[in-house]
Amino acid sequence: MLALRLTRGSHPAVQLRRLLVASASAGTGFLLLCTLGYAMGHPDSPAAAALRLGWCATPLAATVYFAMAVARTDPATRPRPGLSAIGLGPARLMAISATTTALACTLGSMLALLFFLHLRGDLTGMPFDGAAAEFLASDQPLPLPAALTLLALVPLTASVAVALALRPRDLRPASEKGRTRSYGRFGAQGGPRSRETFGTYGRFGAHLRGAGRGSEPEAEQPAQQEQLEATTATAPGDHPDPSRPAAPREAPRGLPWGIAVLAAGLAVEAYASRAKDGGGLSLPGGLADGPASVLAGWVLTAIGLALAGPGLTHLCGRLLQSVSPGALRLLAGRVLMEEATRIGRPLGVVCAVASGGFAMTALYDTDAPAFGPLTTLGLLLVTGCTVATLLTAALEAKHARADTTAALLRLGAPAAMLRSAAALRAGALLALFLPLTLFVAELAALPLAGR
C-alpha cells in the first residue's frame, strides 16, 4: 500500500517515466505472447519457435535496463535524513522501489495480454478484432499457464534487477571500515568506548559544569575534558569537514576490460567470416544468414562497448582539459570526468545498439520482404529503451549537480556559459563515440557481407 501511495502522489514527470516503463513492458510482453502464438500454430517446427523466443531476450534486457534507470531516478524512494526514524531505511526503500517497478511492469504485461487476446479474436467490440487470428492460432485454446509465465518474466526480472541495483551497501574503503570498527571497540585514547554518547555526556558534562563553579579543582578539568572527548569521539569519515573539498573521483577501471572484450568480439566475428560452414544463425526481418558464432561476437562487442563507455567518457573529459584550457573547457571536462560512470555506461549501450542496427541494415536483402511488424516492434523497443535510458541518466546527472550549478550562478557565472559547456560536452562525446560506432558497425557487418 505504501508503494501504491507513493506512486499515486509522484510528480507528473516521474509518472511519465513509469508509464514509459509500462509501455516498454507491454511491447516486450506482446512479443513473448506472439512467440507463444507462433509455437501453437507451428507445432512441427519447435526450433523456429525457440529461435523467436531467443530473439525476445534483447527487448527484455533493454526493458529491464530502462526500468533500472527509472528506479534510480525515482525521488520518492531516495534515502533522506529522518526516514529511518519512521521505519523507512535503505532496505525498506529498496523494497518499495522494486515493488513500484513490479507494479508498472505488471500493468504493461496486462495491457499486452488484452491486446493479444483482441488480435486473436477472443475479445470483441473494438477495431481490428481478430486481425491476426491466423498467425496467433486462434483456432486453438490459449494455454493460460504458459501465457502468464511469459508475462511474468518482465515484472519479475525487472524487480529483481532493481532490488540488486539499489541494495544497501557500504561504499567506504576497507581501511576506513576497519578504523570505524576499532573506534567502536576502543576510544581515541585506547580505552573502552561508551555506547551511550548522550548518557556519557550526562555523567561527565555535569562535573565539568560544576568545575566551573568551583565544586572541583581546576587541575582536574583538562583530564576530564580529554576523557569526554575520547568518549564522544567518532570515527574518521563519519562527519566529513564541509570546509574541505571532496576528494577527486578516480577514473573508471573498466576501460581495459572493455577494450579486451571488444577486441575478443571482433576476433570472434573475424573467425566467423572465415568459417566454411554457414548456417546456424537466422536473423529476423529478411536479413542475411550466417554462422552462429557471429551472434556470440556481436554480444561480446556490445558488452565491450558498455564496459568501455565510462572510461571513454572520462578520457573525453580529460582531453577537453588538455593544452591550456579556459574556463569553458575546464568546466565541461570536469563535469564529464565526474559523471563518467553515470553517463558512460548508457552511452556505451546506445553505441552498441546503434552499431548493431547499422550492421543489420547494411546486411538487409532488398529482394526479401520488408521488415515485419514484430521485427519493427522489437527494433523500436530496443532503440527506444536504450535512448530513454541515456536521457534518464543525463537527467539524473543534471539533478546531481544542481547545487554546483546554483553555486556557479551565485558566483556570477553567466547562464550562457553553462549552456555552452553542456553543448561542448555533447559535441565532444559525439565526436568520440560516433566514429567508434561506425567503425564497430563496419567490422560487425564484415563477416556476413560476402554471404
Side-chain angles (χ1 to χ4, degrees), residues 12-101:
V14 180
Q15 298 285 18
L16 177 61
R17 292 197 291 266
R18 290 170 180 167
L19 287 178
L20 290 178
V21 172
S23 302
S25 176
T28 305
F30 181 73
L31 288 178
L32 293 171
L33 291 178
C34 289
T35 302
L36 176 62
Y38 180 85
M40 292 167 53
H42 302 80
D44 53 342
S45 56
L51 185 59
R52 288 173 176 264
L53 184 62
W55 281 113
C56 292
T58 305
L60 176 62
T63 302
V64 171
Y65 190 55
F66 179 46
M68 291 172 57
V70 171
R72 282 196 302 265
T73 57
D74 193 348
T77 57
R78 186 174 302 165
R80 290 184 293 271
L83 292 181
S84 298
I86 59 175
L88 293 179
R92 184 73 179 275
L93 291 177
M94 177 267 295
I96 293 175
S97 182
T99 305
T100 304
T101 303

Side-chain angles (χ1 to χ4, degrees), residues 360-426:
M360 294 174 66
T361 304
L363 295 174
Y364 180 70
D365 189 2
T366 56
D367 297 333
F371 285 167
L374 296 183
T375 304
T376 305
L377 177 60
L379 293 177
L380 289 178
L381 272 176
V382 174
T383 305
C385 287
T386 52
V387 173
T389 302
L390 178 59
L391 295 179
T392 304
L395 182 62
E396 181 185 5
K398 180 181 178 181
H399 290 166
R401 62 175 184 271
D403 296 338
T404 304
T405 304
L408 289 175
L409 292 176
R410 287 195 303 268
L411 291 174
M417 188 186 72
L418 300 180
R419 290 192 293 267
S420 300
L424 182 60
R425 292 195 302 269

Side-chain angles (χ1 to χ4, degrees), residues 81-127:
L83 292 181
S84 298
I86 59 175
L88 293 179
R92 184 73 179 275
L93 291 177
M94 177 267 295
I96 293 175
S97 182
T99 305
T100 304
T101 303
L103 288 175
C105 294
T106 302
L107 175 62
S109 297
M110 292 299 102
L111 292 177
L113 179 60
L114 291 178
F115 190 65
F116 177 77
L117 294 177
H118 169 61
L119 290 182
R120 273 175 52 94
D122 297 336
L123 298 179
T124 57
M126 294 182 293

